[in-house]
Amino acid sequence: LSVTFTNSRVNGKVAMKCRQKYDGQSRRFMGKSLFAVGILIAVLASSCDKLLLGPEEGMSPLPRQHATRFETILDSLRYSIDVPALAGAVMTDTGIVEAAAVGCRRYGGAENVTVADRFHLGSCGKSFTAVLIGLLVDEGKLTWTTTLPEIFPEYAETMRAEYRGVNVRDILSHSAGFMRDAGIASHAATARGRRTEVVAWALRQQPAAQRGKELYSNLGFMIAGAIAEKLADSSYESLLADRVLQPLGLITAGLGVMGTEGLEDQPLQHTCNHAPLEATPDAHLQDIYNSAGGLYMSVRDWARSCRWVLACEAGHATLLRPETARVISAVCACHADARRSVARGGVGTTEC
């Protein structure tokens, strides 16, 4: 039973409580002989820690009996962990068995979520950046051991010595030594230009860890996005859409704000005290984070992408060469924790 929580606004304490509450639910799920290779859960931003809004501001809809057993279990889980909405799918490497979405787009609102609604994937989006880099490897534009000075010769003399041996595999496995997030106010006119500014800044910063030691880094995946942009001479956003999302048939996938300002046509993101964030142009991560966690899609498309990963691991890779797909999902020997894949944050496991 595989469970993925994708919520950039739930802290570790809350996520652990969600996991503890779900353990009991999943045991009952499996105890009733409903077999599933994977159940993929997308959580609309919220908190199961404690309700901080007053009772007059509404509560999440009560669970109810649905048309299918899966939906009913999903709705009970949603209510148990006290989130506005929950979407999930059961899938194997040969197809999607069932997909459903339950709850409301705004906490305390009407029961209006649909299976076609988009949910923010958070750091699970890193896996798609790894796939994009894999495509460039297959095209011969770089290898997993290509170093930063080889990719960015313009910074070879100004980058810190500690980064001169850092390669693509180090970056995708969070072992390059980069800090977790970018501490720079970039001013370029485009997202591509801003990521270029981030690279120039990052290579002058003192490493937060020694190369080879795991340190989760959104900054590293911003740099991975900039690598793709430089080698393919296009924006990360265009490359991702044209080279990865469209070929995989992920038609609901996108970057930025989900929904239309002033409407509730998509699930609203929420703070940890259940306060909704309106779908204004700035109600999302900065676009320099797109390659680290800006992606959204419907749960059915999320299941479709995970089905593709299962097919790759079964030796039936499409889009990528089989050997490239294996590198992306393989355990990284440089980490003591054997659960971490080369592209941690996506194809294997994730940390939001």
Side-chain angles (χ1 to χ4, degrees), residues 187-200:
H187 302 289
T190 64
R192 181 180 178 182
R194 289 187 285 275
R195 274 186 289 270
T196 298
E197 291 180 345
V198 166
V199 172

Side-chain angles (χ1 to χ4, degrees), residues 236-306:
Y236 170 82
E237 291 76 13
S238 295
L239 290 169
L240 186 70
D242 297 341
R243 305 292 304 278
V244 181
L245 301 178
Q246 292 179 14
L248 290 178
L250 308 179
I251 60 174
T252 64
L255 296 159
V257 179
M258 302 175 297
T260 308
E261 184 174 0
L263 301 178
E264 288 183 26
D265 53 352
Q266 291 295 330
L268 298 175
Q269 298 192 78
H270 290 69
T271 65
C272 286
N273 70 345
H274 294 130
L277 301 176
E278 301 299 332
T280 55
D282 61 347
H284 62 95
L285 295 171
Q286 298 176 47
D287 53 16
I288 58 172
Y289 278 87
N290 280 344
S291 53
L295 191 63
Y296 63 75
M297 65 182 66
S298 71
V299 70
R300 190 176 293 277
D301 272 352
W302 176 226
R304 186 174 288 112
S305 69
C306 292

Side-chain angles (χ1 to χ4, degrees), residues 9-352:
R9 299 181 186 277
V10 172
N11 60 35
K13 177 181 177 182
V14 172
M16 181 58 68
K17 287 191 176 185
C18 290
R19 180 174 298 175
Q20 290 168 349
K21 287 188 177 183
Y22 181 73
D23 284 344
Q25 294 282 348
S26 64
R27 282 193 290 271
R28 288 192 288 276
F29 194 122
M30 297 299 287
K32 293 182 180 178
S33 303
L34 179 58
F35 175 76
V37 171
I39 178 171
L40 308 154
I41 307 295
V43 180
L44 182 62
S46 64
S47 167
C48 62
D49 191 19
K50 59 182 178 179
L51 179 63
L52 299 182
L53 297 181
E56 72 282 357
E57 295 179 82
M59 295 183 65
S60 189
L62 291 171
R64 62 177 179 85
Q65 189 75 29
H66 289 263
T68 70
R69 185 179 174 192
F70 176 67
E71 281 184 281
T72 301
I73 293 170
L74 198 64
D75 204 17
S76 295
L77 175 59
R78 174 199 58 77
Y79 186 75
S80 175
I81 60 178
D82 193 18
V83 296
L86 196 62
V90 181
M91 38 73 66
T92 71
D93 61 340
T94 59
I96 299 172
V97 178
E98 188 168 358
V102 294
C104 50
R105 292 170 176 165
R106 175 192 295 270
Y107 191 87
E111 189 177 352
N112 57 359
V113 166
T114 74
V115 73
D117 280 4
R118 280 79 158 160
F119 287 84
H120 182 215
L121 296 187
S123 285
C124 291
K126 288 181 172 65
S127 64
F128 294 88
T129 299
V131 171
L132 178 57
I133 294 294
L135 287 169
L136 298 178
V137 170
D138 284 350
E139 292 173 3
K141 296 186 184 298
L142 79 169
T143 70
W144 300 115
T145 57
T146 300
T147 63
L148 284 171
E150 292 173 313
I151 299 168
F152 299 109
E154 64 270 32
Y155 303 131
E157 298 299 321
T158 57
M159 73 173 64
R160 290 182 64 99
E162 297 94 330
Y163 296 130
R164 289 174 184 157
V166 168
N167 60 41
V168 174
R169 186 191 296 264
D170 294 330
I171 294 171
L172 296 182
S173 61
H174 300 274
S175 56
F178 292 117
M179 63 184 73
R180 184 181 179 98
D181 291 292
I184 176 178
S186 52
H187 302 289
T190 64
R192 181 180 178 182
R194 289 187 285 275
R195 274 186 289 270
T196 298
E197 291 180 345
V198 166
V199 172
W201 172 85
L203 296 178
R204 298 194 301 269
Q205 306 308 304
Q206 182 175 343
Q210 184 178 1
R211 180 191 169 206
K213 182 178 180 181
E214 183 186 18
L215 179 66
Y216 194 86
S217 178
N218 291 315
L219 175 57
F221 271 78
M222 294 179 205
I223 293 171
I227 290 172
E229 289 175 326
K230 178 164 186 184
L231 296 180
D233 193 24
S234 185
S235 72
Y236 170 82
E237 291 76 13
S238 295
L239 290 169
L240 186 70
D242 297 341
R243 305 292 304 278
V244 181
L245 301 178
Q246 292 179 14
L248 290 178
L250 308 179
I251 60 174
T252 64
L255 296 159
V257 179
M258 302 175 297
T260 308
E261 184 174 0
L263 301 178
E264 288 183 26
D265 53 352
Q266 291 295 330
L268 298 175
Q269 298 192 78
H270 290 69
T271 65
C272 286
N273 70 345
H274 294 130
L277 301 176
E278 301 299 332
T280 55
D282 61 347
H284 62 95
L285 295 171
Q286 298 176 47
D287 53 16
I288 58 172
Y289 278 87
N290 280 344
S291 53
L295 191 63
Y296 63 75
M297 65 182 66
S298 71
V299 70
R300 190 176 293 277
D301 272 352
W302 176 226
R304 186 174 288 112
S305 69
C306 292
R307 174 195 170 193
W308 175 79
V309 173
L310 288 179
C312 287
E313 296 207 341
H316 307 301
T318 59
L319 193 65
L320 295 173
R321 293 176 182 173
E323 57 270 26
T324 303
R326 284 195 295 271
V327 169
I328 290 176
S329 61
V331 172
C332 184
C334 62
H335 297 328
D337 186 345
R339 293 173 297 173
R340 305 308 187 195
S341 67
V342 169
R344 176 171 173 256
V347 174
T349 57
T350 185
E351 172 181 315
C352 294

